[in-house]
């Protein structure tokens, strides 16, 4: 069931005109990478240089990916294996090396993290003062730009003599820390504090990368149309309190209103309620009725919302 979090706004016109309420609701949005991993979880490989920092950070990212994958796929902790190679041992641009990787990694799909490069730390002492917990503090900003590669290889493509690379993205970003202090701090001390957070930062980025494979719940707006009278107000109050069945009961009676505009708005609201109840076909039927009684632009928008929600439900 989708959840309403709060009433965002209400636009009041004149007393005989409709009132438009915007509700913030949780809606399932499609994955950035449309690759079905159910039943075939990938293995994760990180390829690093032979220095300790490179290995530690790419390894932290790989473990973050595995942890998020296990959570999203409802797998036990440790179900997704994580392997380590040095960059002078494995070249993922070489098809033979990829073939070897796919046959030894224990999965038909392998996620590879490699090509980490990091610039030096940058320290900036801000002139802006920050009020925090009753104190006025100085702010020191530490940044470290980096690049890293994220690839997904597929055994099925390799067996069909196709390119085994199924997805690839290069992340170019910078890590940023804001350090607060009562007095100015030296650059070396600021960098030392930043270094202590590097491992967790890369683990968090790994989890964020893994989320690209899965639909995510995000807030969107849904419109409810009402009028300034007790009947319409009651329906709206029920809707914002999760009581969709009670709200629908009121709107069902209002669909027969002799005023085609009011009847159309009631049918539109019924469509929103049906979407929240995951009754998508019925939601589309109510929109069609709304269009026939009195057409307005938001009907087309809500139709797209319902069709997208219906598509996500099937995944």
């Amino acid at each position: 069931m989708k959840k309403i979090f709060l009433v965002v706004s209400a636009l009041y016109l004149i007393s005989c005109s409709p009132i438009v309420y915007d509700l913030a609701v949780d809606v399932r949005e499609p994955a950035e990478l449309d690759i079905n991993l159910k039943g075939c979880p990938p293995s994760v490989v990180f390829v690093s240089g032979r220095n300790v920092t490179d290995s530690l950070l790419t390894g932290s990212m790989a473990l973050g990916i595995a942890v998020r994958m296990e959570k999203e796929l409802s797998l036990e902790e440790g179900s997704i294996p994580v392997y380590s190679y040095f960059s002078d041992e494995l070249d993922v641009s070489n098809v033979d090396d990829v073939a070897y990787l796919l046959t030894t990694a224990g999965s038909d799909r392998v996620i590879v993290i490699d090509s980490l490069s990091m610039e030096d730390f940058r320290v900036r002492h801000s002139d802006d003062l920050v009020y925090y917990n009753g104190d006025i503090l100085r702010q020191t900003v530490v940044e470290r730009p980096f690049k890293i590669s994220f690839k997904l290889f597929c055994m099925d493509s390799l067996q069909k003599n196709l390119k085994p690379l199924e997805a690839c993205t290069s992340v170019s970003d910078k890590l940023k820390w804001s350090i607060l202090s009562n007095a100015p701090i030296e650059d070396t001390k600021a960098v030392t504090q930043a270094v202590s957070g590097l491992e967790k930062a890369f683990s968090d980025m790994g989890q964020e990368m893994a989320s690209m494979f899965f639909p995510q719940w995000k807030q969107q707006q849904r419109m409810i149309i009402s009028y300034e009278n007790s009947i319409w107000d009651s329906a709206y109050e029920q809707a914002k309190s999760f009581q969709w069945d009670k709200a629908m009961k009121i709107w069902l009676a209002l669909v027969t209103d002799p005023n085609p505009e009011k009847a159309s708005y009631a049918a539109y609201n019924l469509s929103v309620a049906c979407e929240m109840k995951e009754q998508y076909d019925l939601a589309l039927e109510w929109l069609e009725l709304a269009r026939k009684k009195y057409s307005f632009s938001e009907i087309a928008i809500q139709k797209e919302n319902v069709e997208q929600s219906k598509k996500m439900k099937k995944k």
Side-chain angles (χ1 to χ4, degrees):
M1 178 182 290
K2 299 178 177 64
K3 297 180 180 179
I4 297 178
F5 281 85
L6 52 95
V7 179
V8 176
S9 65
L11 175 62
Y12 287 84
L13 303 178
I14 58 176
S15 59
C16 61
S17 297
I19 305 167
V20 177
Y21 294 99
D22 286 331
L23 304 180
V25 301
D26 244 7
V27 176
R28 195 165 178 251
E29 293 190 346
E32 293 181 45
L33 296 176
D34 190 17
I35 299 171
N36 185 8
L37 298 178
K38 290 183 178 180
C40 184
S43 298
V44 182
V45 171
F46 66 97
V47 183
S48 67
R50 289 187 177 270
N51 66 79
V52 175
T53 299
D54 193 353
S55 180
L56 177 66
L57 297 182
T58 51
S60 295
M61 182 174 283
L63 287 170
I65 291 172
V67 167
R68 183 62 177 267
M69 289 274 182
E70 288 164 354
K71 180 180 178 181
E72 294 285 354
L73 297 171
S74 300
L75 299 175
E76 292 184 2
E77 183 179 349
S79 297
I80 293 180
V82 177
Y83 301 97
S84 170
Y85 289 90
F86 291 119
S87 54
D88 55 10
E89 296 175 330
L90 182 73
D91 180 6
V92 293
S93 65
N94 184 297
V95 175
D96 291 335
D97 280 10
V98 172
Y100 168 78
L101 191 63
L102 286 167
T103 54
T104 58
S107 175
D108 288 341
R109 284 194 173 99
V110 177
I111 292 172
V112 176
I113 300 295
D114 72 335
S115 304
L116 172 65
S117 64
M118 303 191 75
E119 298 181 21
D120 292 335
F121 283 100
R122 303 171 183 174
V123 181
R124 175 170 53 87
H125 299 276
S126 175
D127 294 330
D128 297 331
L129 298 178
V130 177
Y131 183 78
Y132 181 75
N133 281 349
D135 294 323
I136 297 178
L137 303 173
R138 296 178 180 274
Q139 183 179 22
T140 302
V141 178
V142 182
E143 297 178 341
R144 192 170 195 188
F146 72 93
K147 292 182 181 179
I148 197 163
S149 176
F150 174 95
K151 302 179 179 73
L152 175 69
F153 295 99
C154 178
M155 173 66 83
D156 186 56
S157 297
L158 184 69
Q159 291 175 339
K160 294 178 180 178
N161 294 320
L162 301 174
K163 289 184 177 180
L165 186 63
E166 196 167 8
C168 178
T169 183
S170 180
V171 179
S172 180
D173 205 343
K174 61 184 175 183
L175 298 168
K176 184 175 180 179
W177 296 264
S178 181
I179 301 171
L180 303 180
S181 58
N182 291 307
I185 60 175
E186 297 178 353
D187 288 5
T188 53
K189 186 176 180 180
V191 169
T192 299
Q193 290 192 39
V195 167
S196 67
L198 272 175
E199 189 174 350
K200 182 180 185 304
F202 271 78
S203 176
D204 291 344
M205 282 191 291
Q207 295 203 38
E208 187 65 25
M209 282 184 173
S211 70
M212 295 189 298
F213 289 93
F214 305 99
Q216 301 297 313
W217 290 95
K218 296 184 180 180
Q219 283 194 7
Q220 293 184 2
Q221 303 300 313
R222 290 295 183 270
M223 187 177 75
I224 296 292
I225 307 172
S226 187
Y227 283 86
E228 198 172 2
N229 69 50
S230 59
I231 297 176
W232 285 87
D233 284 345
S234 177
Y236 170 68
E237 290 298 323
Q238 298 294 345
K240 75 175 186 178
S241 300
F242 302 94
Q243 302 297 321
W244 290 111
D245 290 335
K246 293 180 180 179
M248 290 177 70
K249 186 175 180 180
I250 299 171
W251 289 325
L252 279 168
L254 295 171
V255 166
T256 59
D257 194 297
N259 181 325
E261 187 173 348
K262 289 185 177 181
S264 177
Y265 293 153
Y268 174 91
N269 291 344
L270 284 164
S271 171
V272 174
C274 287
E275 183 196 2
M276 297 301 105
K277 288 165 60 67
E278 300 183 349
Q279 298 172 346
Y280 303 120
D281 290 337
L282 188 56
L284 293 172
E285 290 179 20
W286 283 119
L287 282 177
E288 180 60 20
L289 179 63
R291 186 190 65 79
K292 290 179 178 178
K293 286 183 175 290
Y294 175 79
S295 183
F296 55 101
S297 60
E298 285 78 5
I299 291 176
I301 297 173
Q302 175 59 11
K303 184 178 180 181
E304 291 181 4
N305 292 336
V306 174
E307 289 175 341
Q308 182 62 52
S309 295
K310 181 179 180 180
K311 179 181 178 182
M312 292 308 303
K313 180 66 175 178
K314 293 180 178 179
K315 292 191 174 184

